[in-house]
Amino acid sequence: MRCMSMADTVAAAIATNRFGLGARPGELARAAPEPRGWLRAQLGGDAPALAGASALESSSAILSQAAKLREAKRQGAKSGAEQGAASRIAQGLGAYYRPLYVAEVRARFTAAVASDRPFVERLVHFWANHFAVSVDKLAVLGVAGAYEREAIRPHVLGRIEDLLFAVERHPAMLLYLDNIQSAGPGSPLARRASAARRRRDPGLNENLAREILELHTLGVNGGYTQADVTGFARMITGWSIGGGQGRLAAGDPGHFRFRAELHEPGAQQLLGKRYAQAGYEQGAAALRDLARHPATADHLAGKLARHFIADDPPAEAIARLATAFRQHDGDLVSVYRALIDSPEAWATPLAKYKTPADYIHSAFRGLDLPPGDQRAGLIAQELLGQRTWSPGSPAGWPDRAADWDGASALLKRIEWAEVVGTRLGDRRDAQRIAPEILGGVLTTDSSRAIARAASGAQAITLLLAAPEFMRR
């Protein structure tokens, strides 16, 4: 067997920590002979499904049940199963949604700390954050996990166009950005409301259109105007979900549905192009063009480079990824391969500061903590400021060190490291584990500090508090 050089263990540490979610014991040694090949191998086949996914509810089932609970309250059901449903709705939909949210978060956390394809898991997290929804909005609380399973995970190894359509048509996104009742001023619904005089139509909502342009595709500097936002918002009027009451009663609850009665008729303009298609196809044609737009390639390349290379990535790296987007018609695996082949992605010292989620995932992986301890990890994510699917805005969680490395945030990490160290005591040998999970990026100072620790608990704390453990 070939003896690993220092360069081997540095590259392996980068592969397992920067591209992955932190090395597990033995993983760095498996990656070291060919770190780039280890990453490329993970891109083969479909993205892995979550363990126990069959026990998790689909978004359509969740929203269908939520509709029944709302109806039970409206009808004031007084007997049998309906009585139980009415009792649950009396506590609010949150009482129904919260257990679903917790189950999804636990399944996601388990995948992050146990996966043998951690590069793919990181990509799932990256795209879920890029196309962010937030459980701070009650309507999203029950379906955020299903959204990631149904729209993000199956498409992270596919084409950007397919990922984009899956995201923008998913109930979680349509609910989060209020597109389900967006009505064009000239839509059949608006005309009927005008004729009735006392009825009000919901009006045009530009939230989804704006975020697709600003965040999901072109980027804030992508060359669009307010007129483009309005035109695109009119094109996607009618993009909604089934179920509901009255005019929204048609269609299967929780499934995407195009509602012609909400759609603004006539041709619209976007980025200087005229779209004259009828109905759903108008918005779909615009979305396909956005997926292929050069500014979209530049924007997505920049975000990938920032996530995997540095807070301010080199222009050459961004250009390389953008070229891969264009040359391969948005094939994401081709872009990921270009990222792996980018020399900037393998530079030292470690340039990226771990987010709280990254920090906790890597601690669980590196210390080989059992899945039964995941509740402590989930609580820690909240305490350290990164509650799952709760970024607070459609922009998602920030991806720069300045947003995470303040003195107060660092103190909370060290306090959590002390709790972990105290709980583990001498059941983990930090002096042995440190080189196994950090390899060539482990500094002499950190190694010496861990070796001189007064106890096993303190050694674990010092490992988790080491500067090189805080970075990837």
Side-chain angles (χ1 to χ4, degrees):
M1 181 179 292
R2 182 173 71 89
C3 182
M4 288 190 294
S5 68
M6 178 63 72
D8 291 332
T9 63
V10 169
I14 290 173
T16 55
N17 287 282
R18 183 176 297 166
F19 288 87
L21 293 168
R24 292 185 296 172
E27 192 169 62
L28 191 146
R30 289 191 293 274
E34 194 180 352
R36 291 169 177 79
W38 181 76
L39 293 171
R40 291 189 196 100
Q42 295 181 46
L43 300 176
D46 297 330
L50 292 181
S54 60
L56 300 171
E57 296 282 358
S58 68
S59 56
S60 59
I62 292 166
L63 294 175
S64 179
Q65 178 63 16
K68 291 176 182 177
L69 293 176
R70 284 192 295 269
E71 178 63 17
K73 182 181 181 182
R74 277 190 292 267
Q75 297 298 323
K78 299 184 183 299
S79 63
E82 290 185 330
Q83 177 67 40
S87 175
R88 290 175 73 184
I89 196 65
Q91 302 171 43
L93 276 174
Y96 170 56
Y97 287 152
R98 283 187 199 98
L100 301 172
Y101 168 77
V102 170
E104 294 279 3
V105 171
R106 286 179 172 172
R108 184 191 206 248
F109 188 84
T110 297
V113 301
S115 178
D116 59 2
R117 294 171 71 187
F119 183 24
V120 178
E121 290 302 315
R122 176 171 288 283
L123 289 168
V124 170
H125 295 190
F126 169 82
W127 287 113
N129 191 57
H130 176 74
F131 295 110
V133 298
S134 179
V135 298
D136 295 333
K137 189 167 188 173
L138 179 62
V140 179
L141 181 63
V143 292
Y147 163 71
E148 185 171 293
R149 283 188 292 112
E150 296 165 351
I152 303 291
R153 185 172 290 272
H155 298 286
V156 294
L157 299 178
R159 295 168 63 245
I160 189 61
E161 180 180 315
D162 297 329
L163 176 57
L164 191 60
F165 269 86
V167 162
E168 310 305 355
R169 288 165 42 104
H170 195 276
M173 186 63 73
L174 294 168
L175 285 165
Y176 180 49
L177 293 178
D178 305 307
N179 207 74
I180 61 170
Q181 295 189 56
S182 179
S187 66
L189 175 65
R191 291 198 302 270
R192 288 198 302 270
S194 177
R197 299 197 179 191
R198 283 179 292 184
R199 289 179 53 191
R200 295 180 59 190
D201 71 89
L204 182 69
N205 191 300
E206 297 184 350
N207 290 351
L208 180 59
R210 185 179 306 280
E211 304 309 355
I212 289 176
L213 297 177
E214 180 177 323
L215 300 176
H216 300 173
T217 60
L218 307 176
V220 68
N221 297 314
Y224 65 90
T225 66
Q226 175 56 42
D228 291 316
V229 173
T230 301
F232 187 39
R234 288 176 174 174
M235 282 189 254
I236 59 174
T237 47
W239 287 38
S240 186
I241 57 178
Q245 295 292 313
R247 66 176 181 272
L248 298 180
D252 297 328
H255 286 275
F256 176 82
R257 181 176 179 82
F258 175 72
R259 298 184 181 277
E261 66 270 29
L262 301 179
H263 185 66
E264 176 70 11
Q268 302 293 335
Q269 294 274 340
L270 176 64
L271 302 174
K273 181 174 179 179
R274 184 174 182 270
Y275 292 84
Q277 296 88 341
Y280 167 79
E281 271 307 313
Q282 188 177 57
L287 198 61
R288 281 191 286 270
D289 285 347
L290 288 171
R292 293 178 170 85
H293 198 282
T296 296
D298 292 338
H299 178 55
L300 299 183
K303 289 199 71 172
L304 279 165
R306 181 176 302 114
H307 186 76
F308 284 96
I309 297 176
D311 288 0
D312 297 300
E316 317 87 80
I318 297 174
R320 191 179 301 113
L321 299 183
T323 297
F325 265 109
R326 296 192 203 51
Q327 289 182 343
H328 298 279
D329 194 28
D331 175 63
L332 293 172
V333 170
S334 297
V335 178
Y336 306 150
R337 287 176 179 147
L339 176 65
I340 293 169
D341 291 338
S342 295
E344 300 90 348
W346 300 89
T348 55
L350 301 180
K352 291 296 296 182
Y353 190 77
K354 292 178 181 177
T355 66
D358 282 336
Y359 180 66
I360 293 162
H361 292 153
S362 59
F364 267 70
R365 289 177 68 87
L367 296 174
D368 197 22
L369 298 179
D373 284 350
Q374 63 178 244
R375 183 172 179 273
L378 298 176
I379 292 173
Q381 277 191 222
E382 294 201 29
L383 291 174
L384 298 186
Q386 198 174 15
R387 181 188 182 209
T388 304
W389 302 311
S390 184
S393 87
W397 295 107
D399 201 12
R400 297 178 187 270
D403 296 294
W404 299 111
D405 66 356
S408 176
L410 178 59
L411 179 60
K412 287 181 180 178
R413 292 192 187 200
I414 294 173
E415 288 172 345
W416 182 73
E418 289 176 341
V419 170
V420 174
T422 299
R423 192 169 80 245
L424 289 177
D426 293 325
R427 286 180 290 151
R428 297 290 190 279
D429 183 353
Q431 191 172 355
R432 176 186 59 80
I433 292 172
E436 276 195 18
I437 63 175
L438 294 176
V441 301
L442 177 66
T443 64
T444 301
D445 287 345
S446 293
S447 183
R448 186 181 296 119
I450 293 168
R452 292 175 176 174
S455 65
Q458 187 183 68
I460 292 291
T461 300
L462 290 170
L463 169 58
L464 298 183
E468 54 270 46
F469 190 86
M470 297 277 188
R471 293 187 169 272
R472 61 176 183 86

